[in-house]
Structure formats: C-alpha cells, structure tokens
Amino acid sequence: MSEQQDEKAEQSVGEFTLAGPLSSTPPVSLPYPVPEPDEEWQLPNGFAQVFYGEGNQGITRPVIMADGFNLGPSDLQWLYAGLDRDYPLLSELRRRGRDVILLGFSERSASIVKNAEAAMACIQQTNAEQLGSAGLTVGGFSMGGMVTRYALAKMECEETDHRTRLYFSYDSPHRGAVIPIGLQAFSHFIPLPNPFARQMNSPAARQMLWRHYDPKSGKIGIAPERTEFLRELEELGGWPRIPRALALANGRGDGTGLAIPPGETMLKVERIYPGTTFYAQAQGKDVIVAELKRRFPKAEKTVTTNGLPELDGAPGGTLRSYGILADMLKKFGAQVDLRHEEVCFVPSVSAVAIRGIDQQKDLYATIDDLDPSESEVDDFLCSSTTTEHTAVTEELGGWLLERLPD
C-alpha cells in the first residue's frame, strides 16, 4: 500500500464496536422467519415489540426482555434472531403461552438511568394492556439486566405497582464489566473520531466498566459516572425487593477461566500501526498492557496499569475483543499475530452478584463452593462451560424457563 493508503487505513480502523452475539452477529437463517410483531410501541428513549404467546388474543402472561449494550439504536429483529438462534428461547416461551415483549433503546450507549425510563414505560404499558392478572417477568441481557434492575427498584421507591413477580438478569455486570485497558486506550489512539472510541467513552460504558480509561487525562480508574450510578442505585435500595431475583452467568462457577497466561502477547500488529502490541493483564505495578504505535501522525504510547487482577483470563462470559479488532485491522491491510481472540467481559462473580472483582481471590472464586446466600439475588446459575457473553444455551435458557412464575 502507498503511504496515503496507509494513512487512510490507520484513520479508518475504528469503524467498529465491541459487542456480544446478540448484537454483533447478523441474523442467520432460522427454521422459520422472524415473525412480525403483534404490537409495536413507541416509548420514551426506546420502543418495544410484542409477540403473543400461542393461543393468546392479547397480552396475557408477559415476559419483558431488554436489549443490551452497543452503539446506536436496538434492532429488535436482530435481537429476536439472536435469542432464538442457538436455543429457541423465544419460541419455547411462546409455545408455553408466554407473551414475549422485546424492549429496545433509541441509543444503547446512553445512560442506564435514561434507558430505564423506557423500561418503566414498557412495564406500565404492559400492565395497562394486559388481560387477566398474571404477574410479569421482567429482565434483560447484559446491560438490559442493569436497566431493568434500576427501573424496578425506582418504581418501588416511587410506590408504582409494577406487578412483577420475577426479575432476571442474563450475564449482566452487577459488579462491573471488563474491557482491556489497552484496547480502551487504543480506541482513542486512532487519530480521528470513531465509533469504537465513542462506544468506549459513552455514558453506559462509563457506568458499567469496572475500570475506565479516560481519554482526556489518560488516567485509569472508576469513572465518576459509575460512582454516581452506583450511588443512585443504592439510594433506590440496590435491587427491586418485591419480585424474586434470578441471575444467569455465561462464565463457569468452578473457578476455571480462559487459558491466558498473564503478561502474554495477545495481539501484535504490523504494516499499519506497526509494532503495536497488546498484552494480557497481569498483577503488579507499572504493568505494560499495550505498546501503541502509529505512523500518521507519528506517535507512540505505552499503557501501564497498577494493582489490577488478572482480568483477561478470569471465569466469565467472553467477548471476542481482540478478535474483533484483529478482523478490522486485517480489513485495512494490517498483518496481525492474534494469540487470543477472546477475553473475559463479565466475570462470573459479577454476573451472579456474589463477589467483587477488585481482588484476584474474589475474581477467581469458586462460586460453586460458596454459600449461595452470599449472592444478592435469590437464585443463580453459572454455565458449566465458558460461553460467549449473552449466548443463549440450552443449559441457561432451560433453567430460566423452568423458573418462570405460574
């Protein structure tokens, strides 16, 4: 490539976002087409689609499911396909007479508090239209579980009857989510504004990420938006108290994570961003997690961390964080040496709200051996194998189905 092409390539690399399978994989062919919704609702900061259960003439036994985190508006057809692709969760719900209500957001990267307005409006609309008196099931996937947790807790504080009997979260980051610090820094090292950088510095990312790289100061820490969100959530009581609370984790509960040795090279790049290298997070002081190099305009940056646990290989739901970046770099002509494409995104202890992720011993805790009462939820399940963040499996989907209220 010419220098002009190389410069254009370095500028264009950030035209992507990091997302799990529900919002990053195009709908694949299903044994049947994604059905047309029976109702569509416009809501504050969002929208919903309603799919009646078999034999129902209206909303009778509703299950509200909220979309997760990405950039831009929700695509509910995409979400339906993702939730029914590997294990037919939505088809099975409807076969059992449950009405599926998919809740989407006008901007998925907006504040959790802002998107909770859509969730509250969706719950109220459901109650207003419902036939009969069956209690609601309300929850969500990834960030959607945080949005609905906040919404239900706020409705209880405001003494609004949400009529919800069951709340569930599916690989939601109750104690925080993890995106490698080096990747966060790289998004802002790209010389032009780009979607990846916007996603990493969005309100929702700053609220959910356990540690955030601030592009203005270059400092790594707890974003003030996260501190404020956790304070607001605590003022609401932390959790809704009326419904039974369930949590599902895509990561394992036996303390086993990914085979990623701390400090090992994760991804090395040549041709564009030549010499840029990312390393697995290790414990200790002044730990190098990325060496960033670009040619246009020429710059180099070494990214270091202090006192972080070994996050990348921790037990948890995974994200193809390095794989997604490597794909985009290759698209623009880079030579990549990709050693590990997946890393932990939502640690198991975070997804089931049983331990924090500040300490190595807690991050790698054997959840199966802990007293379940240590969790902040009433019941939970960790996957028996490491699975991708928000992937719907027979094990997890079946467990949730069997615990829906009568």
Side-chain angles (χ1 to χ4, degrees):
M1 291 195 300
S2 68
E3 282 211 355
Q4 189 175 17
Q5 288 173 317
D6 284 350
E7 182 174 5
K8 178 65 174 176
E10 286 198 348
Q11 293 172 348
S12 303
V13 159
E15 297 294 319
F16 72 97
T17 59
L18 297 181
L22 294 186
S23 52
S24 65
T25 306
V28 298
S29 297
L30 297 171
Y32 48 85
V34 173
E36 288 296 315
D38 295 294
E39 297 184 36
E40 295 188 80
W41 301 340
Q42 289 300 313
L43 306 165
N45 306 322
F47 43 89
Q49 291 184 350
V50 182
F51 303 86
Y52 298 155
E54 282 189 15
N56 296 348
Q57 301 302 310
I59 298 171
T60 308
R61 302 170 73 201
V63 179
I64 296 173
M65 297 179 155
D67 195 12
F69 172 62
N70 203 341
L71 205 61
S74 297
D75 182 332
L76 296 184
Q77 185 179 34
W78 208 322
L79 180 61
Y80 194 110
L83 291 176
D84 225 42
R85 182 177 58 234
D86 300 319
Y87 173 76
L89 178 62
L90 303 191
S91 294
E92 189 59 29
L93 281 167
R94 298 179 71 196
R95 188 187 70 78
R96 298 182 183 201
R98 307 276 180 176
D99 310 295
V100 171
I101 302 174
L102 297 183
L103 170 61
F105 306 109
S106 303
E107 177 48 68
R108 286 174 288 180
S109 68
S111 160
I112 293 170
V113 175
K114 185 174 182 179
N115 281 335
E117 294 176 13
M120 290 186 283
C122 184
I123 292 166
Q124 290 174 320
Q125 180 99 359
T126 301
N127 282 321
E129 292 199 15
Q130 185 183 5
L131 309 173
S133 59
L136 278 60
T137 294
V138 177
F141 297 81
S142 188
M143 180 194 72
M146 301 301 296
V147 169
T148 48
R149 172 183 165 187
Y150 184 96
L152 290 167
K154 185 171 185 181
M155 292 178 83
E156 289 181 9
C157 280
E158 294 176 348
E159 298 185 349
T160 301
D161 185 8
H162 53 59
R163 299 188 58 255
T164 301
R165 288 185 58 192
L166 181 73
Y167 159 79
F168 76 91
S169 64
Y170 200 111
D171 218 38
S172 298
H174 295 294
R175 303 291 176 86
V178 178
I179 290 176
I181 295 298
L183 283 181
Q184 293 186 50
F186 180 74
S187 75
H188 303 290
F189 191 69
I190 298 167
L192 291 181
N194 62 85
F196 182 28
R198 289 203 303 276
Q199 184 192 28
M200 291 300 95
N201 205 39
S202 66
R206 294 173 72 95
Q207 288 173 324
M208 287 191 296
L209 287 175
W210 173 73
R211 290 294 182 270
H212 179 260
Y213 176 88
D214 185 82
K216 292 182 179 178
S217 66
K219 292 182 178 179
I220 300 156
I222 302 171
E225 291 87 348
R226 176 165 177 77
T227 301
E228 175 62 17
F229 170 69
L230 293 176
R231 185 192 65 77
E232 288 184 41
L233 190 58
E234 189 61 32
E235 286 183 356
L236 297 176
W239 296 80
R241 298 299 175 187
I242 294 171
R244 178 172 172 79
L246 304 181
L248 301 93
N250 282 107
R252 292 167 64 152
D254 62 0
T256 302
L258 298 165
I260 300 176
E264 181 166 287
T265 298
M266 302 292 283
L267 172 64
K268 189 169 183 178
V269 189
E270 295 297 345
R271 288 184 67 174
I272 63 169
Y273 294 97
T276 289
T277 309
F278 300 91
Y279 304 95
Q281 182 67 61
Q283 300 183 76
K285 292 185 177 181
D286 298 322
V287 172
I288 296 175
V289 293
E291 294 170 324
L292 308 180
K293 300 177 183 181
R294 71 173 186 234
R295 293 169 61 195
F296 308 102
K298 188 173 180 59
E300 295 188 4
K301 183 179 183 64
T302 299
V303 183
T304 60
T305 63
N306 288 287
L308 300 191
E310 295 164 8
L311 297 158
D312 295 329
T318 63
L319 200 60
R320 283 190 68 245
S321 303
Y322 287 106
I324 292 169
L325 174 58
D327 290 345
M328 186 58 66
L329 286 163
K330 283 191 291 185
K331 178 181 176 181
F332 287 98
Q335 293 178 337
V336 301
D337 178 6
L338 176 62
R339 311 280 181 86
H340 300 280
E341 63 176 339
E342 292 185 327
V343 291
C344 174
F345 178 51
V346 176
S348 298
V349 291
S350 176
V352 302
I354 199 165
R355 291 283 171 90
I357 59 180
D358 299 55
Q359 303 295 323
Q360 180 83 0
K361 62 180 177 59
D362 290 333
L363 180 64
Y364 282 80
T366 304
I367 297 170
D368 297 343
D369 292 343
L370 299 178
D371 183 342
S373 67
E374 286 190 44
S375 171
E376 293 182 278
V377 298
D378 297 305
D379 199 4
F380 62 83
L381 179 68
C382 294
S383 176
S384 59
T385 59
T386 298
T387 52
E388 196 171 2
H389 172 60
T390 66
V392 180
T393 64
E394 182 176 0
E395 178 185 28
L396 297 177
W399 185 86
L400 178 60
L401 284 171
E402 294 306 316
R403 281 155 182 78
L404 297 179
D406 295 331

